[in-house]
Amino acid sequence: MRVRWAFEEVGQKYDVRLVSFGEMKEPAYRKLHPFGQIPTYRDGNLVLFESGAIVLHIAEQHAGLLPIEGNARSRAIAWMFAALNTVEPPIVERSMAMMLERNQSWYAERLAGLEERVRVRLRELSECLGDAEWLDGAFSAADLLMVTVLRRFSSSSDLGHPNLAAYVARAEARPAYQRAFADQLAVFTVSQSKA
Ligand SMILES: N[C@@H](CCC(=O)N[C@@H](CS)C(=O)NCC(=O)O)C(=O)O
């Protein structure tokens, strides 16, 4: 979704090649992605992995996702890192614990600690966003990444902050998001109807 959405925001056409879980772990694919994951990006001789790096590359190649002015551009990039490096890790760690550690004797205690880390981050983010429409001025790649991080919550009411829920809803209402989401959903609808 991150990469699709970025392409839609800048109005750039792209092709998608789906890979199976098996193929992701094959040596041929690992030449493109050392960790055997998706997404991978290819344009001519350039191959990139890491969704954040791919979105940054698209934002640097095309107008529309990063401010032109130098300081504003650097701040937007700082927020891109914040989304992936500061806000996303505790959210992912909590989800992984809920998936993989449920049966451990220490699960309840660990979950409480993880929940608290998520609560703190969301409170800080909510305070920082306040009543603003986007993180720093106009919509940018930073908002794109931050919203995909916040969308890890199954319901926006779980975010616990109405301004964050409204922020996500605002981003999801963007035509580029809607197109990316419809195309992503179509992949699953088609593959399910074939199953
Ligand atoms: N930090 C990476 C994470 C990539 C990632 O976790 N990809 C998942 C799908 S969204 C994946 O490939 N999972 C399969 C696996 O790890 O084997 C990024 O943002 O690109």
Side-chain angles (χ1 to χ4, degrees), residues 2 21 24-25 33 35-39 49-52:
R2 288 173 180 172
F21 272 92
M24 275 194 254
K25 307 301 171 194
H33 195 309
F35 307 112
Q37 294 185 313
I38 55 166
F49 58 97
E50 284 297 333
S51 57

Side-chain angles (χ1 to χ4, degrees), residues 52 55-56 59-60 64-85 134-146 167:
V55 169
L56 178 58
E60 283 183 326
L65 274 176
L66 280 177
I68 305 290
E69 193 276 318
N71 287 354
R73 196 177 180 94
S74 295
R75 284 199 307 274
I77 294 171
W79 272 113
M80 293 175 76
F81 276 88
L84 303 182
N85 208 29
W134 306 115
L135 287 169
D136 190 348
F139 178 87
S140 77
D143 298 294
L144 185 155
L145 291 179
M146 190 65 84
Y167 171 60

Side-chain angles (χ1 to χ4, degrees):
M1 261 307 286
R2 288 173 180 172
V3 179
R4 282 183 188 278
W5 189 6
F7 274 131
E8 293 291 349
E9 288 286 349
V10 300
Q12 181 67 29
K13 291 214 174 318
Y14 60 95
D15 294 319
V16 176
R17 192 168 83 76
L18 301 176
V19 286
S20 67
F21 272 92
E23 194 181 344
M24 275 194 254
K25 307 301 171 194
E26 294 289 333
Y29 185 79
R30 279 185 193 272
K31 285 198 179 126
L32 309 178
H33 195 309
F35 307 112
Q37 294 185 313
I38 55 166
T40 299
Y41 167 99
R42 180 157 31 190
D43 184 10
N45 291 333
L46 176 67
V47 174
L48 290 174
F49 58 97
E50 284 297 333
S51 57
I54 298 169
V55 169
L56 178 58
H57 175 75
I58 295 169
E60 283 183 326
Q61 297 291 306
H62 307 277
L65 274 176
L66 280 177
I68 305 290
E69 193 276 318
N71 287 354
R73 196 177 180 94
S74 295
R75 284 199 307 274
I77 294 171
W79 272 113
M80 293 175 76
F81 276 88
L84 303 182
N85 208 29
T86 302
V87 180
E88 186 165 52
I91 298 173
V92 169
E93 210 177 331
R94 186 187 67 148
S95 310
M96 295 304 277
M98 288 163 91
M99 245 187 316
L100 304 174
E101 296 169 355
R102 217 165 249 289
N103 297 326
Q104 303 295 337
S105 55
W106 36 259
Y107 175 67
E109 207 177 332
R110 170 154 161 82
L111 186 65
L114 293 173
E115 299 270 14
E116 179 57 13
R117 284 177 55 207
V118 170
R119 260 197 303 275
V120 168
R121 277 291 175 269
L122 292 181
R123 193 185 63 230
E124 290 166 337
L125 181 64
S126 165
E127 283 170 8
C128 192
L129 182 67
D131 294 331
E133 197 177 11
W134 306 115
L135 287 169
D136 190 348
F139 178 87
S140 77
D143 298 294
L144 185 155
L145 291 179
M146 190 65 84
V147 166
T148 59
V149 167
L150 297 179
R151 287 192 78 260
R152 287 182 172 279
F153 288 84
S154 40
S155 146
S156 58
S157 59
D158 293 347
L159 288 166
H161 297 274
N163 69 334
L164 293 184
Y167 171 60
V168 172
R170 241 183 337 266
E172 288 176 343
R174 295 176 71 81
Y177 175 91
Q178 301 270 327
R179 288 193 297 273
F181 188 80
D183 288 347
Q184 178 80 348
L185 193 62
V187 170
F188 291 98
T189 317
V190 169
S191 59
Q192 265 171 14
S193 66
K194 278 187 189 156

